Amino acid sequence: SEDPKQLIQDRKEWADLEPVPQDDGPNPVVKIAYSDKFTDVYDYFRALLKNDEKSDRALLLTAEAIELNAANYTVWHYRRVLLQALEKDLREEMRYITAIIEDQPKNYQVWHHRRMVVEWLNDPSEELEFIAEILSQDAKNYHAWQHRQWVIKEYKLWDSELEYVEQLLEEDVRNNSAWNQRHYIISHTTGYSDPAILNREVQYSLKQIKKAPHNESVWNYLKGILQDLGLSSHPGLLEQILELKETHCSPYLLGFLVDIYEDFLENTLEHHEEVLSKALELCELLAREKDTIRREYWSYVGRSLQTKYGSSDSSTTTSAPGSDSGSVHQETPCSS
Amino acid sequence: MTEPTLLRDQHYQYLKKGLRHLSDAYECLDASRPWLCYWILHSLELLEEPVPTAIASDVCKFLARCQSPTGGFAGGPCQAAHLAPTYAAVNALCIIGTQEAYNIIDREKLLSFLFSVKQPDGSFVMHIGGEVDVRSTYCAASVASLTNIMTPTLFQDTPTWIVSCQNWEGGLGGVPGLEAHGGYTFCGMAAMVILGKEHMLDLKSLLRWVASRQMRYEGGFQGRCNKLVDGCYSFWQAGLLPLLHRALFKGGDSTLSLQKWMFEQQALQEYILLCCQNPAGGLLDKPGKSRDFYHTCYCLSGLSVAQHFGNMDLHHELIVGREENRLAPSHPVYNICPEKVAQAIQHFHQLPVPVPAQKEGEAPNRLS
């Protein structure tokens, strides 16, 4: 068997194959100063591709090419063609791809390759544990979560996932990927229509808010699960939030209040002026003091609410003094 | 405190060199060389540095070698076609904007490549035997619209698929179900704008999500909720605000500002200028990280977005630091200069839309 430290060009097993150098043309651009090893391996890869060679040595070469550049999707595709043509042991391939992902977990091709092998084997039995291992090193790895959602949906492995999500949230309540997974699981299983489920989730969220009030994820989750039904429709929620405002205030809480008031305005006719005035006051407070990085946004929200829900004879503008963001009531075109 | 200064000259030297030679540290981008062309050329055009005619021609010839015989562009010569380098190659050629550049693109084969990666559910795989995610819809829509090869069926069901990527957070994930993410949200929104379907998205919740991604202390943007700031999101995230502004305006909104985007433009410029520049040239994610051409491109693109409000009819500038910090404006959908977009569209609209040889939906290419 081959000595990986030797260049391919010096290996007797490859003597019959003529390497194909890369042709960048006479005046190359973005020319990479490849190492000798890189040039060597890829010259031979190009030769294999040209001859459409399907052999064990070709498979070995794809591994070397992958090691030098795991993002070369052409090599990965060829490897898959070889695996099928040579009817290779896919369990061994699982072991291979496991090691590669451990080493380079933020690469598209490696995860896609693993998905293909799992599909060919029709065996997801290692997946949840493997992905959990990767997530234990980086709890927000996007590719890992994507693979996890695919495995769970494809093979209907929903049963233990909520428990897993709760464990992750226990470790880091600010893990937005975990909150997303929570939403994913519940939407695809029980759904949020059942009042018992919705209430459970609202209570869970409020509990997490009390533990860590400045956690944007939980506030977004609370809004996310209530917005279809309407934030103002959940009994007692406004009161609970107003209570929290005293001890656990945050820009997120204030923004949430704006959302509740807006929903109220959308869905109720009574107390319009009062509710609108509260909402506008909060937008002003956020823009001016509590969330100034979003000054332009909150000013816009205020103006929008005023325009949509303001009575026709209240013509005060809602721009903060000194700001340039006047409202547009003329027909300046903004075409492009 | 001295005024923040864009290190123009240093960035120019870094870019000029990279356009010709890259160290072996770039072996990991050997399957993304059209990207390197685009990142560097776009950075140069933002800096308003001309590309010498000879180099422009060399780029054209190189990209021609990256074009696949079956259509589309690959990451390098003799590699397989892939939507990402296809997007980058077309953009790079449009930046060059010469007849030679436009003529490189085989439009008939490009169309057949797009059909070959189209999926029955409206999505696209990135390459034959490759993965699906929302980047592919943007890459496909971008090149198809610029080169005038859009057919009635090419993007059938694509808007519905993109909409399904919008989640409970208001942003978009890479595929339905995933966490909202700046890069994917930009791709989805920009694709919808190209397809004229932006109103199918919940623009209000998208706006809330992206506005919330600006970091109150750093001034830059994070890619996802509760993650760290990164200079590249100066474009992917902040770049959504011009798109949203236009979409909301089109939808009849009369309360939009006439002068500012709905993010803190000054704070973003300060983050980029004070925290994302390498003194030897090039830009980066955050202090302590290494420079690279990807971050150079997107930090500069974000700086441009933050400096320029409006479009041809209405233009308002906010330049942090000296006037010399001013960059050229960039087109919010394609992220190349608006003149180059107009010129390319004008050129390719003189040509007829190719007749597809293969129908969409025929032999979906997902195996292997």
Side-chain angles (χ1 to χ4, degrees):
Chain A
S1 98
E2 305 182 30
D3 174 11
K5 286 194 210 70
Q6 247 189 344
L7 293 177
I8 313 285
Q9 70 191 29
D10 298 327
R11 297 184 205 174
K12 55 174 168 49
E13 302 91 344
W14 291 89
D16 61 292
L17 191 59
E18 192 66 36
V20 175
Q22 179 162 283
D23 191 1
D24 274 1
N27 301 310
V29 293
V30 295
K31 186 179 175 174
I32 300 169
Y34 308 108
S35 68
D36 292 336
K37 181 147 180 75
F38 196 101
T39 305
D40 175 64
V41 167
Y42 275 92
D43 285 353
Y44 278 90
F45 176 72
R46 278 181 281 272
L48 288 174
L49 217 51
K50 186 170 163 196
N51 296 342
D52 198 25
E53 180 175 319
K54 309 252 172 61
S55 64
D56 269 300
R57 72 175 181 181
L59 189 69
L60 286 170
L61 193 68
T62 63
E64 296 205 48
I66 282 163
E67 193 176 353
L68 291 165
N69 179 16
N72 193 313
Y73 56 89
T74 306
V75 175
W76 280 107
H77 184 264
Y78 201 65
R79 187 176 175 89
R80 284 191 284 276
V81 167
L82 290 169
L83 288 170
Q84 303 213 276
L86 303 172
E87 297 180 331
K88 301 302 292 186
D89 177 1
L90 296 177
R91 300 276 166 206
E92 200 185 323
E93 189 66 7
M94 279 296 286
R95 290 190 286 275
Y96 169 73
I97 195 62
T98 296
I100 301 290
I101 294 175
E102 284 277 6
D103 194 46
Q104 306 195 54
K106 286 194 171 181
N107 162 306
Y108 282 96
Q109 288 71 36
V110 300
W111 287 97
H112 180 67
H113 189 76
R114 189 184 179 97
R115 173 170 162 163
M116 297 306 309
V117 178
V118 168
E119 280 182 1
W120 288 341
L121 284 170
N122 197 34
D123 179 10
S125 63
E126 295 176 21
E127 298 316 281
L128 295 183
E129 191 180 326
F130 171 70
I131 302 163
E133 161 59 28
I134 299 295
L135 289 173
S136 74
Q137 296 161 44
D138 173 2
K140 302 181 184 185
N141 182 320
Y142 206 84
H143 303 282
W145 283 110
Q146 184 166 351
H147 189 73
R148 197 172 181 90
Q149 288 195 350
W150 169 74
V151 166
I152 287 174
K153 186 167 197 219
E154 190 71 19
Y155 298 98
K156 301 174 177 30
L157 301 173
W158 306 97
D159 292 347
S160 57
E161 192 65 0
L162 190 58
E163 187 187 325
Y164 177 66
V165 162
E166 291 214 348
Q167 176 205 316
L168 286 185
L169 288 174
E170 190 74 19
E171 289 166 24
D172 178 9
V173 72
R174 290 173 182 81
N175 184 338
N176 197 67
S177 306
W179 283 103
N180 182 70
Q181 191 74 342
R182 191 178 183 95
H183 195 279
Y184 181 74
I185 301 301
I186 295 174
S187 346
H188 282 85
T189 52
T190 56
Y192 288 94
S193 320
D194 178 358
I197 302 285
L198 187 59
N199 208 49
R200 180 195 75 195
E201 291 303 296
V202 171
Q203 294 319 310
Y204 180 80
S205 304
L206 291 171
K207 184 171 159 209
Q208 302 314 322
I209 286 170
K210 286 175 186 132
K211 279 203 280 182
H214 286 265
N215 175 11
E216 190 182 343
S217 292
V218 64
W219 284 104
N220 292 345
Y221 183 75
L222 189 55
K223 177 164 66 134
I225 63 178
L226 288 170
Q227 61 196 358
D228 286 341
L229 264 129
L231 295 189
S232 61
S233 68
H234 201 89
L237 185 66
L238 175 60
E239 289 68 28
Q240 282 189 291
I241 305 293
L242 288 171
E243 216 182 283
L244 278 174
K245 186 165 175 271
E246 301 312 304
T247 48
H248 298 75
C249 200
S250 68
Y252 317 118
L253 184 149
L254 298 173
F256 195 87
L257 278 175
V258 172
D259 294 330
I260 298 183
Y261 291 140
E262 179 167 16
D263 190 66
F264 211 85
L265 291 166
E266 182 79 23
N267 294 302
T268 340
L269 288 168
E270 30 175 76
H271 309 301
H272 245 226
E273 252 178 64
E274 199 189 315
V275 174
L276 176 61
S277 145
K278 288 209 179 93
L280 293 179
E281 201 183 303
L282 281 168
C283 289
E284 226 273 304
L285 180 63
L286 285 159
R288 195 178 32 99
E289 188 190 320
K290 299 289 184 184
D291 200 17
T292 57
I293 194 79
R294 272 165 278 284
R295 186 175 35 141
E296 285 301 317
Y297 172 73
W298 290 117
S299 299
Y300 165 77
V301 171
R303 290 195 304 274
S304 300
L305 288 173
Q306 174 75 288
T307 302
K308 193 167 180 193
Y309 300 108
S311 58
S312 48
D313 55 326
S314 67
S315 55
T316 46
T317 61
T318 50
S319 354
S323 93
D324 291 311
S325 48
S327 36
V328 183
H329 286 292
Q330 62 266 48
E331 64 288 356
T332 316
C334 197
S335 60
S336 79
Chain B
M1 185 180 93
T2 46
E3 270 188 328
T5 307
L6 178 66
L7 303 173
R8 287 183 158 275
D9 221 71
Q10 291 87 324
H11 299 320
Y12 174 61
Q13 297 306 324
Y14 173 63
L15 292 161
K16 185 174 172 218
K17 178 155 190 240
L19 194 49
R20 278 291 181 205
H21 298 290
L22 298 161
S23 74
D24 63 1
Y26 278 86
E27 283 176 352
C28 61
L29 286 167
D30 186 43
S32 294
R33 290 174 69 200
W35 274 117
L36 289 160
C37 294
Y38 164 67
W39 293 328
I40 296 172
L41 287 174
H42 181 52
S43 300
L44 289 168
E45 75 170 342
L46 288 172
L47 291 167
E48 292 178 300
E49 296 287 354
V51 179
T53 333
I55 302 188
S57 183
D58 291 339
V59 173
C60 292
K61 295 189 175 77
F62 173 70
L63 291 175
R65 287 169 184 273
C66 294
Q67 189 162 217
S68 164
T70 47
F73 291 82
C78 298
Q79 295 178 30
H82 185 296
L83 277 172
T86 299
Y87 164 84
V90 170
N91 261 6
L93 291 167
C94 289
I95 292 173
I96 293 168
T98 58
Q99 292 303 307
E100 180 192 0
Y102 297 142
N103 291 341
I104 300 289
I105 304 168
D106 184 329
R107 294 163 70 244
E108 288 72 23
K109 297 238 176 78
L110 178 58
L111 183 58
S112 83
F113 171 62
L114 295 182
F115 273 120
S116 78
V117 288
K118 177 80 189 290
Q119 301 302 293
D121 66 355
S123 66
F124 290 78
V125 292
M126 293 298 291
H127 62 98
I128 306 284
E131 72 276 14
V132 169
D133 62 55
V134 75
R135 292 173 297 155
S136 63
T137 64
Y138 172 60
C139 294
S142 180
V143 304
S145 56
L146 285 172
T147 63
N148 187 29
I149 60 175
M150 288 182 62
T151 73
T153 56
L154 183 56
F155 293 103
Q156 205 156 61
D157 299 321
T158 303
T160 320
W161 187 85
I162 297 174
V163 167
S164 73
C165 292
Q166 184 168 28
N167 79 349
W168 57 275
E169 301 173 77
L172 279 69
V175 297
L178 283 177
E179 190 183 2
H181 179 296
Y184 294 120
T185 304
F186 178 85
C187 289
M189 176 74 187
M192 292 293 266
V193 169
I194 294 172
L195 299 175
K197 299 283 197 280
E198 59 268 44
H199 289 278
M200 288 174 66
L201 290 164
D202 181 346
L203 297 177
K204 199 154 143 275
S205 62
L206 207 169
L207 174 61
R208 167 68 71 93
W209 178 80
V210 64
S212 302
R213 301 283 67 76
Q214 188 167 20
M215 311 294 279
R216 68 184 66 238
Y217 298 114
E218 298 94 309
F221 281 77
Q222 65 189 176
R224 300 180 250 168
C225 182
N226 273 332
K227 289 207 80 181
L228 299 177
V229 71
D230 182 333
C232 71
Y233 294 115
S234 306
F235 179 74
W236 302 119
Q237 297 284 37
L240 281 164
L241 290 144
L243 296 176
L244 282 163
H245 204 103
R246 182 179 176 278
L248 291 166
F249 186 87
K250 261 180 82 183
D253 194 320
S254 60
T255 58
L256 293 164
S257 170
L258 280 181
Q259 300 191 311
K260 294 191 173 168
W261 304 122
M262 282 185 276
F263 72 94
E264 180 48 68
Q265 290 168 236
Q266 179 170 342
L268 179 61
Q269 293 187 49
E270 286 171 352
Y271 176 68
I272 296 168
L273 292 170
L274 296 170
C275 304
C276 297
Q277 296 193 85
N278 182 309
L283 291 99
L284 38 100
D285 164 0
K286 59 171 68 62
K289 299 282 175 128
S290 314
R291 64 186 182 174
D292 60 55
F293 294 103
Y294 164 82
H295 282 94
T296 302
C297 173
Y298 292 105
C299 283
L300 289 176
S301 301
L303 185 57
S304 173
V305 169
Q307 290 177 343
H308 299 282
F309 171 85
N311 50 62
M312 291 136 334
D313 306 325
L314 187 67
H315 194 182
H316 193 88
E317 285 181 10
L318 195 170
I319 314 289
V320 167
R322 290 156 56 219
E323 177 60 28
E324 286 74 17
N325 291 350
R326 184 190 182 280
L327 293 174
S330 192
H331 193 292
V333 170
Y334 300 97
N335 200 27
I336 66 177
C337 287
E339 306 77 36
K340 299 295 167 74
V341 173
Q343 199 187 293
I345 289 180
Q346 200 260 347
H347 169 85
F348 288 108
H349 271 80
Q350 289 167 348
L351 305 170
V353 177
V355 178
Q358 164 200 348
K359 283 218 205 74
E360 171 264 321
E362 226 173 67
N365 284 297
R366 271 222 72 241
L367 301 173
S368 88

